[in-house]
Amino acid sequence: MTYPEYILTLSCLDRRGIVHRVSGFLAEHGCNIIDSAQFGDSETGMFFMRVHFALEHEAIGDAVLRAGFAALCREAGMQGQLHDAHKKPRVLIMVSKIGHCLNDLLFRYKSGLLPVEIPAIVSNHMDFYQLAASYNIPFHHLPLASGASEEAKLAQEARLLELLDTHQVDLVVLARYMQILSPQLCEALKGRAINIHHSFLPSFKGARPYAQAHRRGVKLIGATAHFVTGDLDEGPIIEQDVERVDHAMEVEELTAIGRDVECVVLARAVKWFVEHRILQNGDKTVVFK
């Protein structure tokens, strides 16, 4: 018999008895724990937990389980969520004129490696509308002219917010979307937007960062995936990785290596988000792998 499965996530001040209370609640409601992970941060004094479980009590339905968990969170002073483990989160991807991350995410999605639904792709350019069409995903062109006014930028972002609402989007992925989001949009997307960039920042800003790095003789190339905040490229880090390079490599080879790293790092971050493995801990994250 197949039972409904859930993923429980929570955070609260660290103290004795939290695991006992949660596991006791699950046992009382006829739930069987499949896997569990927890972490207590001695610096912040916070406790984090993720539990994957099956509801095996036929007389207890979804509404009863959720009401009971909400009551437990209120009583214990916990911030908690219950997620349907089999529900695929809805992800909207944003891209500009560099498509390696978009192409990689779409391949993983189509291959079943990334358990998501992608209701829309948004871009300020038309370069990838045919790629979107090849996956039968609606493509929305939201142009923004170079040097556009603040009014035009906010109007474009208002259209984006309409799309997010229409498609009930759970996560926005900036797959090399080369526009700075307004503080208002960053706040609206708090905790549900992920960005990717090369890890040279803040050393090599602006255009052609790999060429800048090549001139300086870098020996490591990397990428960083993080949550989007109003502080440009400084949101809580989710995942990072690096590859070694050497003096014999040309700019084009460094760029290709860097793009490969960006694809892998972004895919990991998105997968962990949709599997409810990431919990924010102030300016950093807890990732249960």
Side-chain angles (χ1 to χ4, degrees), residues 167-186:
H167 293 293
Q168 298 180 311
V169 170
D170 299 298
L171 174 67
V172 174
V173 178
L174 306 186
R176 296 304 303 271
Y177 180 68
M178 308 306 288
Q179 292 290 326
I180 297 175
L181 306 186
S182 70
Q184 300 95 314
L185 183 57
C186 289

Side-chain angles (χ1 to χ4, degrees), residues 28-199:
E28 291 167 5
H29 286 75
C31 301
N32 181 44
I33 294 176
I34 297 171
D35 64 74
S36 177
Q38 55 271 335
F39 170 69
D41 188 337
S42 59
E43 292 184 1
T44 64
M46 294 295 292
F47 178 83
F48 304 87
M49 190 173 188
R50 177 187 185 273
V51 184
H52 179 196
F53 65 91
L55 176 57
E56 298 180 352
H57 197 308
E58 296 180 8
I60 296 179
D62 180 83
V64 172
L65 181 68
R66 290 183 182 278
F69 181 63
L72 173 65
C73 288
R74 288 193 300 270
E75 295 166 7
M78 302 185 300
Q79 298 292 322
Q81 291 184 304
L82 271 185
H83 309 275
D84 182 340
H86 294 301
K87 181 182 179 182
K88 294 182 178 180
R90 298 171 65 78
V91 176
L92 181 143
I93 303 175
M94 301 184 70
V95 65
S96 289
K97 295 175 73 69
I98 302 174
H100 56 284
C101 287
L102 171 66
N103 192 53
D104 180 76
L105 290 173
L106 291 178
F107 174 79
R108 293 173 190 268
Y109 153 73
K110 190 69 172 180
S111 302
L113 300 173
L114 198 58
V116 300
E117 299 291 348
I118 303 178
I121 295 170
V122 169
S123 180
N124 54 326
H125 297 280
M126 287 293 292
D127 297 57
F128 299 112
Y129 78 94
Q130 289 180 319
L131 178 62
S134 72
Y135 284 91
N136 294 316
I137 298 174
F139 181 89
H140 299 271
H141 181 216
L142 303 185
L144 194 64
S146 178
S149 67
E150 185 70 15
E151 182 180 4
K153 184 175 182 62
L154 292 178
Q156 187 235 27
E157 291 186 347
R159 293 177 62 193
L160 171 63
L161 288 170
E162 289 176 4
L163 286 172
L164 300 181
D165 183 60
T166 298
H167 293 293
Q168 298 180 311
V169 170
D170 299 298
L171 174 67
V172 174
V173 178
L174 306 186
R176 296 304 303 271
Y177 180 68
M178 308 306 288
Q179 292 290 326
I180 297 175
L181 306 186
S182 70
Q184 300 95 314
L185 183 57
C186 289
E187 183 61 28
L189 296 178
K190 186 176 181 180
R192 60 186 187 113
I194 292 175
N195 189 27
I196 184 72
H197 60 72
H198 57 78
S199 62

Side-chain angles (χ1 to χ4, degrees), residues 65 76 112 125 147-148 230 263 268 277:
L65 181 68
H125 297 280
C263 289
R268 287 176 189 158
R277 297 183 180 276

